[in-house]
Amino acid sequence: LPKPFGVAGHACDAGSGDVNLTYAVLNSHTFGNLAAPTQGTVTYTLEDEPDAANPGNEWHRGIYGSLFGLGGCRCVSVGSYQLVRVIDGEGRPVEPYYSDFLRYVGDVPLTFWSNYTDPDIPKFLKEERFEEAWDLMHCSDQPESPECVA
């Protein structure tokens, strides 16, 4: 379908992410409560771009809604965009995206958080022990906070 129309899975097959991590439906969560997704009237996806010039480094970030309240049909792109990998898992630049990113941000100072300071954090997240994970993340950044002092 021509833009703005489209459906989740137009860039790659919906459900293909189970094995090769090429497709995902993303959820939003009210007030950070990860146990209660609140999608509302929009579907969010992350889809690998299999025909991309740089495979594995380009994704379609789908945002689909309905047109004039057509029930549950979320078939209109309402802000979808493309994502690219700037730095790989080893911390190496991925070109040409890294250089494009540096030109774009110019002299703006940036901070990246890309690692957990406590090895229990990812374990707790995988076990859906979100409050414990949050406490560890929060207290590693602000150990003097009243809720972090034992």
Side-chain angles (χ1 to χ4, degrees), residues 26-41:
L26 307 174
N27 291 313
S28 59
H29 304 274
T30 302
F31 303 116
N33 180 355
L34 298 179
T38 53
Q39 287 302 104
T41 59

Side-chain angles (χ1 to χ4, degrees), residues 105-111:
V105 297
D107 294 332
V108 175
L110 302 172
T111 302

Side-chain angles (χ1 to χ4, degrees), residues 1 17 22-24 26-28 81 90-91 96 132:
L1 296 171
T22 59
Y23 180 89
L26 307 174
N27 291 313
S28 59
Y81 53 91
E90 302 296 320
E132 291 168 273

Side-chain angles (χ1 to χ4, degrees), residues 52-149:
N54 198 339
N57 292 308
E58 299 179 30
W59 298 272
H60 176 75
R61 172 67 159 87
I63 306 172
Y64 306 101
S66 64
L67 183 62
F68 307 115
L70 294 174
C73 175
R74 296 177 182 171
C75 55
V76 179
S77 176
V78 290
S80 299
Y81 53 91
Q82 301 306 114
L83 294 170
V84 297
R85 184 188 319 257
V86 176
I87 297 175
D88 72 12
E90 302 296 320
R92 295 180 299 244
V94 175
E95 295 295 353
Y97 311 120
Y98 179 78
S99 295
D100 292 344
F101 177 73
L102 292 180
R103 275 191 298 279
Y104 175 76
V105 297
D107 294 332
V108 175
L110 302 172
T111 302
F112 290 92
W113 181 53
S114 62
N115 204 350
Y116 297 112
T117 56
D118 188 307
D120 284 333
I121 294 171
K123 180 182 120 190
F124 288 162
L125 291 173
K126 288 175 187 173
E127 295 170 355
E128 297 186 11
R129 295 164 56 189
F130 304 120
E131 287 186 31
E132 291 168 273
W134 167 253
D135 288 344
L136 284 175
M137 287 187 282
H138 175 71
C139 291
S140 67
D141 292 338
Q142 303 173 24
E144 292 81 30
S145 293
E147 62 268 22
C148 299
V149 177

